[in-house]
Amino acid sequence: MDADRRQGTGQDIGRRISQGTGRESGEETGRGIVVGYDGSDFAMQALDWAMDEAEFRRAPITVCHAWQSPYAPGDEEARKSLHHAAEHVLWHGAECARQCTSGVRVREDLFEGQATERLVALSATADLVVVGSRGLSGAARRVMGSVAGHVATYAHCPVIVVRGVGSLPHPRHPGPIVAGVGGGDDHVLAFAYREAALRGLSVIAVHAMRYPAAAWSAGMAPMVMSDVPGREAVELLEAAVRPWRERYPQVETALQPVSGPVLDVLADASSGATMLVVGATREKGALARLGSVTRPLIDAVTCPVAVVHP
């Protein structure tokens, strides 16, 4: 990022100091927020989101920058130059966090090696990892080669993937937290309701349902479908959100059973949302762990996506 861009980005994020978060400061709670930072516009947006999380949660923030040397082991001068540049990138990110937050302890983590390796390692002792993403190409989605995809797959804590460039917009009327519910999703709803409570937002619990195909032939009127699948979907959603409604009575909740493919339903429901929260499994293999729906969702939606492991 050039000097002019850095200065402009700092001014954009600086608006947070005067606006504040609407929450009184207090003692730190939790293990902290980890954010991957490489100085890019995508990383600036992830940092902006991570700073909000740190203030809302009253948690420390760790700004992590990983670097690698392409030079031969004997070229120490070139390696030192890269190391110095990496230190400067990390300093810039950490300084933004210090100047643009109130009462947040900022840690720096400089790592020589792959960013994916370090972020996954740090996730073992973190409450949340935040990464930026420019979006994945079709080939990248197949091999899950991006930092965002790898960290979302293998992290030990929830991961928020933030899309776009520059500082996050802070709308006057932010959208809801949308949670994808398919059954056995307590971890998803727990995360969604906590975020909604922290931010003063509502929750929309979405379930994608599939109606059976109507059986009819030429000369016959189409079969009239019953509304049983719809009722079952509503009952599933009501049962899933009931304990979280009781725990967070201040959070307004809407139930949204929708017929259609899961990917399309969640992508449509997240339009205008502050965040989409989806689950991942603990099965073996990257595809199973992240899920056939979660992987393309990270690329398909424009709002931040929280991937929550059980």
Side-chain angles (χ1 to χ4, degrees):
M1 205 187 313
D2 57 32
D4 291 339
R5 177 57 187 159
R6 286 198 302 269
Q7 183 179 6
T9 304
Q11 291 172 348
D12 290 339
I13 293 182
R15 74 196 185 289
R16 300 157 41 86
I17 299 176
S18 59
Q19 290 177 343
T21 62
R23 178 193 54 74
E24 295 182 0
S25 60
E27 294 183 0
E28 287 183 356
T29 61
R31 298 183 296 180
I33 313 299
V34 172
V35 57
Y37 183 80
D38 62 6
S40 67
D41 285 349
F42 310 100
M44 287 302 305
Q45 193 174 48
L47 179 62
D48 197 15
W49 187 279
M51 288 189 289
D52 273 347
E53 291 285 348
E55 288 189 324
F56 283 130
R57 295 167 179 253
R58 299 196 300 274
I61 183 171
T62 298
V63 182
C64 174
H65 177 63
W67 67 285
Q68 291 179 283
S69 173
Y71 301 106
D75 197 342
E76 286 302 314
E77 286 301 318
R79 185 180 175 281
K80 287 180 180 179
S81 179
L82 284 176
H83 184 267
H84 179 72
E87 288 179 324
H88 179 75
V89 170
L90 178 61
W91 171 86
H92 177 260
E95 191 63 15
C96 281
R98 292 188 182 100
Q99 295 297 323
C100 300
T101 56
S102 176
V104 172
R105 183 157 53 100
V106 179
R107 304 161 175 164
E108 299 179 18
D109 186 88
L110 186 64
F111 178 73
E112 183 175 1
Q114 294 185 350
T116 52
E117 175 187 348
R118 187 55 178 166
L119 290 172
V120 170
L122 291 174
S123 74
T125 55
D127 291 318
L128 178 68
V129 173
V130 184
V131 291
S133 173
R134 57 178 53 85
L136 307 180
S137 66
R141 282 200 303 269
R142 286 193 295 271
V143 300
M144 291 306 295
S146 73
V147 171
H150 185 95
V151 176
T153 304
Y154 293 103
H156 304 281
C157 68
V159 176
I160 295 180
V161 180
V162 185
R163 294 283 304 281
V165 297
S167 297
L168 282 168
H170 284 63
R172 184 183 298 271
H173 302 291
I177 304 294
V178 175
V181 180
D185 299 292
D186 271 359
H187 56 297
V188 172
L189 289 168
F191 188 91
Y193 270 85
R194 183 183 183 189
E195 283 290 319
L198 288 171
R199 297 171 180 272
L201 301 176
S202 62
V203 166
I204 298 180
V206 180
H207 175 73
M209 50 186 184
R210 293 181 179 274
Y211 284 101
W216 63 284
S217 60
M220 296 176 57
M223 179 185 297
V224 178
M225 295 185 186
S226 75
D227 61 348
V228 172
R231 288 204 306 268
E232 290 177 347
V234 171
E235 291 171 359
L236 181 151
L237 286 172
E238 287 178 341
V241 304
R242 186 175 298 117
W244 303 106
R245 274 178 157 169
E246 294 173 355
R247 183 169 181 177
Y248 296 96
Q250 76 277 27
V251 175
E252 183 179 343
T253 303
L255 307 182
Q256 191 170 306
V258 182
S259 178
V262 178
L263 177 60
D264 294 343
V265 168
L266 292 180
D268 290 343
S270 66
S271 178
T274 292
M275 183 196 302
L276 171 64
V277 185
V278 292
T281 69
R282 280 298 186 194
E283 299 174 32
K284 294 182 179 179
L287 297 182
R289 287 169 66 96
L290 197 52
S292 58
V293 173
T294 305
R295 291 185 300 111
L297 264 177
I298 293 176
D299 187 56
V301 304
T302 56
C303 70
V305 179
V307 180
V308 188
H309 294 268

Coordinates of all heavy atoms in Angstrom, one line a residue, residues 181-253:
V181 N -29.5 -22.3 9.9 CA -29.9 -23.3 10.9 C -30.4 -24.6 10.1 O -31.2 -24.5 9.3 CB -31.1 -22.9 11.8 CG1 -31.4 -24.0 12.8 CG2 -30.6 -21.6 12.6
G182 N -29.7 -25.7 10.4 CA -30.1 -26.9 9.8 C -30.4 -28.1 10.7 O -30.7 -29.2 10.3
G183 N -30.2 -27.8 12.0 CA -30.4 -28.9 13.0 C -29.1 -29.1 13.7 O -28.0 -29.2 13.1
G184 N -29.1 -29.1 15.0 CA -27.9 -29.3 15.8 C -26.9 -28.1 15.7 O -25.7 -28.3 15.6
D185 N -27.5 -26.9 15.7 CA -26.7 -25.7 15.4 C -26.6 -24.8 16.6 O -26.6 -23.6 16.5 CB -27.4 -25.0 14.3 CG -27.4 -25.7 13.0 OD1 -26.4 -26.0 12.4 OD2 -28.5 -26.1 12.6
D186 N -26.5 -25.4 17.8 CA -26.4 -24.5 19.0 C -25.1 -23.7 18.9 O -25.2 -22.5 19.4 CB -26.3 -25.4 20.3 CG -27.7 -25.7 20.8 OD1 -28.7 -25.2 20.3 OD2 -27.8 -26.4 21.8
H187 N -24.0 -24.2 18.4 CA -22.8 -23.4 18.3 C -23.0 -22.2 17.4 O -22.5 -21.1 17.6 CB -21.6 -24.2 17.9 CG -21.8 -24.9 16.6 ND1 -22.8 -25.9 16.4 CD2 -21.2 -24.9 15.4 CE1 -22.7 -26.4 15.2 NE2 -21.8 -25.7 14.5
V188 N -23.8 -22.4 16.3 CA -24.0 -21.3 15.4 C -24.9 -20.2 16.0 O -24.6 -19.0 15.9 CB -24.7 -21.8 14.1 CG1 -25.1 -20.7 13.2 CG2 -23.7 -22.7 13.3
L189 N -26.0 -20.7 16.6 CA -26.9 -19.7 17.3 C -26.3 -19.0 18.5 O -26.5 -17.8 18.7 CB -28.2 -20.4 17.7 CG -29.1 -20.9 16.5 CD1 -30.2 -21.8 17.0 CD2 -29.7 -19.6 15.8
A190 N -25.4 -19.7 19.2 CA -24.8 -19.1 20.4 C -23.9 -17.9 19.9 O -23.9 -16.8 20.5 CB -23.9 -20.1 21.1
F191 N -23.2 -18.1 18.8 CA -22.3 -17.1 18.2 C -23.2 -15.9 17.7 O -22.9 -14.7 17.9 CB -21.4 -17.6 17.1 CG -20.4 -16.7 16.7 CD1 -19.1 -16.6 17.2 CD2 -20.7 -15.8 15.6 CE1 -18.2 -15.7 16.8 CE2 -19.7 -14.9 15.2 CZ -18.5 -14.8 15.7
A192 N -24.2 -16.3 16.9 CA -25.1 -15.3 16.3 C -25.8 -14.4 17.4 O -25.8 -13.1 17.2 CB -26.1 -15.9 15.4
Y193 N -26.3 -15.0 18.4 CA -27.0 -14.2 19.4 C -26.0 -13.4 20.2 O -26.4 -12.2 20.6 CB -27.8 -15.1 20.4 CG -29.2 -15.4 19.9 CD1 -29.5 -16.4 19.0 CD2 -30.3 -14.6 20.3 CE1 -30.7 -16.6 18.5 CE2 -31.6 -14.8 19.8 CZ -31.8 -15.9 18.9 OH -33.1 -16.1 18.5
R194 N -24.8 -13.9 20.5 CA -23.9 -13.0 21.2 C -23.5 -11.8 20.4 O -23.4 -10.7 20.9 CB -22.6 -13.8 21.6 CG -21.7 -13.0 22.4 CD -20.4 -13.7 22.8 NE -19.6 -12.9 23.6 CZ -18.3 -13.2 24.0 NH1 -17.8 -14.3 23.5 NH2 -17.6 -12.5 24.8
E195 N -23.2 -12.0 19.1 CA -22.9 -10.9 18.3 C -24.0 -9.9 18.2 O -23.8 -8.7 18.2 CB -22.6 -11.4 16.9 CG -21.2 -12.0 16.7 CD -20.1 -11.0 16.8 OE1 -20.2 -9.9 16.3 OE2 -19.1 -11.3 17.5
A196 N -25.3 -10.4 18.1 CA -26.4 -9.5 18.0 C -26.6 -8.7 19.3 O -26.9 -7.5 19.3 CB -27.7 -10.3 17.7
A197 N -26.4 -9.4 20.4 CA -26.5 -8.7 21.7 C -25.4 -7.6 21.9 O -25.7 -6.5 22.3 CB -26.4 -9.7 22.9
L198 N -24.2 -7.9 21.5 CA -23.1 -7.0 21.6 C -23.3 -5.7 20.7 O -23.0 -4.6 21.1 CB -21.8 -7.6 21.2 CG -21.2 -8.6 22.1 CD1 -20.0 -9.3 21.5 CD2 -20.8 -8.0 23.4
R199 N -23.9 -6.0 19.5 CA -24.1 -4.9 18.6 C -25.5 -4.2 18.6 O -25.7 -3.3 17.8 CB -23.8 -5.4 17.1 CG -22.4 -5.9 17.0 CD -22.2 -6.6 15.7 NE -20.8 -7.1 15.5 CZ -19.8 -6.3 15.0 NH1 -20.1 -5.1 14.5 NH2 -18.6 -6.8 15.0
G200 N -26.4 -4.8 19.4 CA -27.7 -4.2 19.4 C -28.5 -4.5 18.2 O -29.3 -3.6 17.7
L201 N -28.4 -5.7 17.6 CA -29.0 -6.0 16.4 C -30.0 -7.2 16.6 O -30.0 -7.8 17.6 CB -28.0 -6.4 15.3 CG -26.9 -5.4 14.9 CD1 -25.9 -6.0 14.0 CD2 -27.6 -4.1 14.4
S202 N -30.8 -7.5 15.6 CA -31.7 -8.6 15.6 C -31.1 -9.8 15.0 O -30.0 -9.7 14.3 CB -33.0 -8.2 14.8 OG -32.7 -8.0 13.5
V203 N -31.7 -11.0 15.2 CA -31.3 -12.2 14.6 C -32.3 -12.8 13.6 O -33.5 -12.8 14.0 CB -30.9 -13.3 15.6 CG1 -30.8 -14.7 15.0 CG2 -29.7 -12.9 16.4
I204 N -31.9 -13.2 12.4 CA -32.8 -13.9 11.5 C -32.3 -15.3 11.4 O -31.2 -15.6 10.9 CB -32.9 -13.3 10.2 CG1 -33.5 -11.8 10.3 CG2 -33.8 -14.1 9.2 CD1 -33.6 -11.1 8.9
A205 N -33.1 -16.3 11.9 CA -32.7 -17.7 11.8 C -33.3 -18.2 10.5 O -34.6 -18.2 10.3 CB -33.3 -18.5 13.0
V206 N -32.5 -18.7 9.6 CA -32.9 -19.2 8.3 C -32.7 -20.7 8.2 O -31.7 -21.2 8.5 CB -32.1 -18.4 7.2 CG1 -32.5 -18.9 5.8 CG2 -32.2 -16.9 7.4
H207 N -33.8 -21.3 7.6 CA -33.7 -22.7 7.3 C -34.1 -23.0 5.9 O -35.2 -22.5 5.5 CB -34.5 -23.5 8.3 CG -34.6 -25.0 8.0 ND1 -33.5 -25.8 8.2 CD2 -35.6 -25.8 7.5 CE1 -33.9 -27.1 7.9 NE2 -35.1 -27.1 7.4
A208 N -33.3 -23.7 5.1 CA -33.7 -24.0 3.7 C -34.4 -25.3 3.7 O -33.9 -26.3 4.2 CB -32.4 -24.0 2.9
M209 N -35.5 -25.3 3.1 CA -36.3 -26.6 3.1 C -36.6 -26.9 1.6 O -36.6 -26.1 0.7 CB -37.6 -26.4 3.8 CG -38.4 -25.2 3.5 SD -39.9 -25.0 4.5 CE -40.6 -23.6 3.7
R210 N -36.8 -28.2 1.4 CA -37.0 -28.8 0.1 C -38.4 -29.5 0.1 O -38.6 -30.4 0.8 CB -35.9 -29.8 -0.3 CG -34.6 -29.2 -0.5 CD -33.6 -30.2 -1.0 NE -32.3 -29.6 -1.2 CZ -31.9 -29.1 -2.4 NH1 -32.7 -29.1 -3.4 NH2 -30.7 -28.6 -2.6
Y211 N -39.3 -29.0 -0.8 CA -40.6 -29.6 -0.9 C -40.5 -30.8 -1.8 O -39.7 -30.8 -2.8 CB -41.6 -28.7 -1.5 CG -42.1 -27.7 -0.5 CD1 -41.6 -26.4 -0.5 CD2 -43.1 -28.0 0.5 CE1 -42.1 -25.4 0.4 CE2 -43.6 -27.1 1.4 CZ -43.1 -25.8 1.4 OH -43.5 -24.9 2.3
P212 N -41.3 -31.9 -1.6 CA -41.3 -33.0 -2.5 C -41.8 -32.6 -3.9 O -42.7 -31.8 -3.9 CB -42.1 -34.1 -1.8 CG -43.0 -33.3 -0.9 CD -42.2 -32.1 -0.5
A213 N -41.3 -33.2 -4.9 CA -41.8 -32.9 -6.3 C -43.2 -33.4 -6.4 O -43.6 -34.4 -6.0 CB -40.9 -33.5 -7.3
A214 N -44.1 -32.6 -7.1 CA -45.5 -32.9 -7.3 C -45.6 -34.0 -8.4 O -44.9 -34.0 -9.4 CB -46.3 -31.7 -7.8
A215 N -46.4 -35.1 -8.1 CA -46.5 -36.2 -9.0 C -47.8 -36.0 -9.9 O -48.9 -35.9 -9.3 CB -46.6 -37.5 -8.3
W216 N -47.6 -35.7 -11.1 CA -48.7 -35.6 -12.0 C -48.4 -35.9 -13.4 O -47.2 -36.0 -13.8 CB -49.3 -34.1 -11.9 CG -48.3 -33.1 -12.4 CD1 -47.3 -32.6 -11.7 CD2 -48.4 -32.4 -13.6 NE1 -46.7 -31.6 -12.5 CE2 -47.3 -31.4 -13.6 CE3 -49.3 -32.4 -14.7 CZ2 -47.1 -30.6 -14.7 CZ3 -49.0 -31.5 -15.8 CH2 -48.0 -30.7 -15.8
S217 N -49.4 -36.2 -14.3 CA -49.1 -36.6 -15.6 C -50.1 -35.8 -16.5 O -51.0 -35.1 -16.0 CB -49.2 -38.1 -15.8 OG -50.6 -38.5 -15.5
A218 N -50.0 -36.0 -17.8 CA -50.9 -35.3 -18.8 C -52.3 -35.7 -18.5 O -52.6 -36.9 -18.2 CB -50.5 -35.7 -20.2
G219 N -53.2 -34.7 -18.5 CA -54.6 -35.0 -18.3 C -55.0 -34.9 -16.8 O -56.1 -35.1 -16.5
M220 N -54.0 -34.8 -15.9 CA -54.3 -34.7 -14.5 C -54.0 -33.3 -13.9 O -53.1 -32.7 -14.4 CB -53.4 -35.7 -13.7 CG -53.7 -37.2 -14.1 SD -52.5 -38.3 -13.2 CE -52.8 -37.9 -11.5
A221 N -54.8 -32.9 -13.0 CA -54.5 -31.7 -12.3 C -53.3 -31.9 -11.4 O -53.1 -32.9 -10.8 CB -55.7 -31.3 -11.5
P222 N -52.4 -30.8 -11.2 CA -51.3 -31.0 -10.3 C -51.7 -31.3 -8.9 O -52.8 -30.9 -8.5 CB -50.6 -29.6 -10.4 CG -51.1 -29.0 -11.7 CD -52.5 -29.6 -11.9
M223 N -50.9 -32.2 -8.3 CA -51.2 -32.6 -6.9 C -51.1 -31.4 -6.0 O -50.2 -30.5 -6.1 CB -50.2 -33.6 -6.5 CG -50.4 -34.1 -5.0 SD -49.1 -35.3 -4.5 CE -49.4 -36.6 -5.7
V224 N -52.0 -31.2 -5.1 CA -52.0 -30.2 -4.1 C -51.1 -30.6 -3.0 O -51.3 -31.6 -2.3 CB -53.4 -29.8 -3.6 CG1 -53.3 -28.7 -2.5 CG2 -54.3 -29.4 -4.7
M225 N -50.0 -29.8 -2.7 CA -49.1 -30.1 -1.7 C -49.6 -29.7 -0.3 O -50.3 -28.7 -0.2 CB -47.7 -29.4 -1.9 CG -47.0 -29.9 -3.2 SD -45.4 -29.1 -3.3 CE -44.9 -29.7 -4.9
S226 N -49.3 -30.5 0.7 CA -49.6 -30.1 2.0 C -48.6 -29.1 2.5 O -47.5 -28.9 2.0 CB -49.7 -31.3 3.0 OG -48.4 -31.7 3.3
D227 N -48.9 -28.4 3.7 CA -47.9 -27.5 4.2 C -47.1 -28.1 5.3 O -46.5 -27.4 6.2 CB -48.6 -26.2 4.7 CG -49.6 -26.6 5.9 OD1 -49.9 -27.8 6.1 OD2 -50.1 -25.6 6.5
V228 N -47.1 -29.5 5.4 CA -46.3 -30.1 6.5 C -44.9 -29.8 6.5 O -44.3 -29.5 7.5 CB -46.5 -31.7 6.4 CG1 -45.6 -32.4 7.3 CG2 -48.0 -32.0 6.7
P229 N -44.2 -29.8 5.3 CA -42.7 -29.4 5.3 C -42.5 -28.0 5.9 O -41.6 -27.8 6.7 CB -42.3 -29.5 3.9 CG -43.3 -30.4 3.3 CD -44.6 -30.2 4.0
G230 N -43.4 -27.0 5.6 CA -43.3 -25.7 6.1 C -43.5 -25.7 7.6 O -42.7 -25.0 8.3
R231 N -44.5 -26.4 8.1 CA -44.7 -26.5 9.6 C -43.5 -27.1 10.3 O -43.1 -26.7 11.4 CB -46.0 -27.2 9.9 CG -47.3 -26.5 9.5 CD -48.5 -27.0 10.3 NE -48.6 -28.5 10.2 CZ -49.4 -29.1 9.3 NH1 -50.0 -28.4 8.4 NH2 -49.5 -30.4 9.3
E232 N -43.0 -28.2 9.7 CA -41.8 -28.8 10.3 C -40.6 -27.9 10.4 O -39.9 -27.9 11.4 CB -41.5 -30.1 9.5 CG -42.5 -31.2 9.7 CD -42.2 -32.4 8.8 OE1 -41.3 -32.3 7.9 OE2 -42.8 -33.5 9.0
A233 N -40.5 -27.1 9.3 CA -39.3 -26.1 9.3 C -39.5 -25.1 10.4 O -38.5 -24.7 11.1 CB -39.2 -25.5 8.0
V234 N -40.7 -24.6 10.6 CA -41.0 -23.6 11.6 C -40.8 -24.2 13.0 O -40.2 -23.6 13.9 CB -42.4 -23.0 11.5 CG1 -42.8 -22.2 12.7 CG2 -42.6 -22.2 10.2
E235 N -41.2 -25.4 13.2 CA -41.0 -26.1 14.5 C -39.6 -26.3 14.8 O -39.1 -26.2 15.9 CB -41.8 -27.4 14.5 CG -43.3 -27.3 14.5 CD -44.0 -28.6 14.3 OE1 -43.3 -29.6 14.1 OE2 -45.3 -28.6 14.3
L236 N -38.8 -26.7 13.7 CA -37.4 -26.9 13.9 C -36.7 -25.6 14.3 O -35.9 -25.6 15.3 CB -36.7 -27.4 12.6 CG -35.2 -27.7 12.6 CD1 -34.9 -28.8 11.6 CD2 -34.4 -26.4 12.2
L237 N -37.1 -24.5 13.7 CA -36.5 -23.2 14.0 C -36.9 -22.7 15.4 O -36.0 -22.2 16.2 CB -36.9 -22.1 13.0 CG -36.2 -22.2 11.6 CD1 -36.9 -21.3 10.6 CD2 -34.7 -22.0 11.7
E238 N -38.1 -22.9 15.7 CA -38.6 -22.5 17.1 C -37.9 -23.3 18.2 O -37.5 -22.7 19.2 CB -40.1 -22.7 17.2 CG -40.9 -21.7 16.4 CD -42.4 -22.0 16.5 OE1 -42.8 -23.1 16.8 OE2 -43.2 -21.1 16.2
A239 N -37.7 -24.6 18.0 CA -37.0 -25.4 19.0 C -35.5 -25.0 19.1 O -35.0 -24.9 20.2 CB -37.1 -26.9 18.6
A240 N -34.9 -24.6 17.9 CA -33.5 -24.3 17.9 C -33.2 -23.0 18.6 O -32.3 -22.8 19.4 CB -33.0 -24.3 16.5
V241 N -34.1 -22.0 18.4 CA -33.8 -20.6 18.9 C -34.4 -20.4 20.3 O -34.0 -19.5 21.0 CB -34.4 -19.5 18.0 CG1 -33.9 -19.7 16.6 CG2 -35.9 -19.5 18.0
R242 N -35.3 -21.3 20.8 CA -35.9 -21.1 22.1 C -35.0 -20.8 23.2 O -35.1 -19.8 24.0 CB -36.8 -22.3 22.4 CG -37.7 -22.1 23.7 CD -38.6 -23.3 23.9 NE -39.6 -23.4 22.8 CZ -39.6 -24.4 22.0 NH1 -38.8 -25.5 22.2 NH2 -40.5 -24.5 21.0
P243 N -33.9 -21.7 23.5 CA -33.0 -21.4 24.6 C -32.3 -20.1 24.4 O -31.9 -19.4 25.4 CB -32.1 -22.6 24.6 CG -32.2 -23.2 23.3 CD -33.6 -22.9 22.8
W244 N -32.0 -19.7 23.2 CA -31.2 -18.5 23.0 C -32.1 -17.2 23.1 O -31.6 -16.2 23.5 CB -30.5 -18.5 21.6 CG -29.7 -19.8 21.6 CD1 -29.9 -20.9 20.9 CD2 -28.5 -20.0 22.3 NE1 -28.9 -21.8 21.2 CE2 -28.0 -21.3 22.0 CE3 -27.7 -19.2 23.2 CZ2 -26.9 -21.8 22.6 CZ3 -26.6 -19.7 23.8 CH2 -26.1 -21.0 23.4
R245 N -33.4 -17.3 22.7 CA -34.3 -16.3 23.0 C -34.4 -16.0 24.5 O -34.5 -14.9 24.9 CB -35.7 -16.6 22.4 CG -35.9 -16.2 21.0 CD -37.2 -16.7 20.5 NE -37.7 -15.9 19.3 CZ -38.7 -16.2 18.6 NH1 -39.4 -17.3 18.9 NH2 -39.1 -15.5 17.6
E246 N -34.5 -17.1 25.3 CA -34.6 -16.9 26.7 C -33.3 -16.3 27.3 O -33.4 -15.5 28.3 CB -34.9 -18.3 27.3 CG -36.2 -18.9 26.9 CD -36.4 -20.3 27.4 OE1 -35.4 -20.9 28.0 OE2 -37.5 -20.9 27.3
R247 N -32.2 -16.7 26.8 CA -30.9 -16.2 27.3 C -30.7 -14.7 26.9 O -30.1 -14.0 27.6 CB -29.8 -17.0 26.8 CG -28.4 -16.6 27.4 CD -27.4 -17.7 27.1 NE -26.1 -17.3 27.6 CZ -25.0 -18.1 27.6 NH1 -25.0 -19.3 27.0 NH2 -23.8 -17.7 28.1
Y248 N -31.2 -14.4 25.7 CA -31.0 -13.0 25.2 C -32.3 -12.4 24.9 O -32.7 -12.2 23.7 CB -30.1 -13.0 23.9 CG -28.7 -13.5 24.1 CD1 -28.3 -14.8 23.9 CD2 -27.7 -12.6 24.6 CE1 -27.0 -15.2 24.1 CE2 -26.4 -13.0 24.8 CZ -26.1 -14.3 24.5 OH -24.8 -14.8 24.7
P249 N -33.1 -12.1 25.9 CA -34.5 -11.6 25.6 C -34.5 -10.2 24.9 O -35.5 -9.9 24.3 CB -35.1 -11.5 27.0 CG -33.9 -11.3 27.9 CD -32.8 -12.2 27.3
Q250 N -33.4 -9.5 25.0 CA -33.4 -8.2 24.3 C -33.1 -8.3 22.8 O -33.3 -7.3 22.1 CB -32.2 -7.3 25.0 CG -30.8 -7.7 24.5 CD -30.2 -8.8 25.3 OE1 -30.9 -9.7 25.8 NE2 -28.9 -8.8 25.4
V251 N -32.8 -9.4 22.3 CA -32.5 -9.6 20.9 C -33.8 -10.0 20.2 O -34.4 -11.1 20.5 CB -31.4 -10.7 20.7 CG1 -31.2 -10.9 19.2 CG2 -30.1 -10.2 21.3
E252 N -34.2 -9.2 19.3 CA -35.4 -9.5 18.4 C -35.1 -10.6 17.5 O -34.0 -10.6 16.9 CB -35.8 -8.3 17.7 CG -37.1 -8.5 16.8 CD -37.5 -7.2 16.1 OE1 -37.0 -6.1 16.5 OE2 -38.3 -7.3 15.1
T253 N -36.0 -11.6 17.3 CA -35.7 -12.8 16.5 C -36.8 -13.0 15.5 O -38.0 -12.8 15.8 CB -35.7 -14.1 17.4 OG1 -34.7 -13.9 18.4 CG2 -35.3 -15.3 16.5

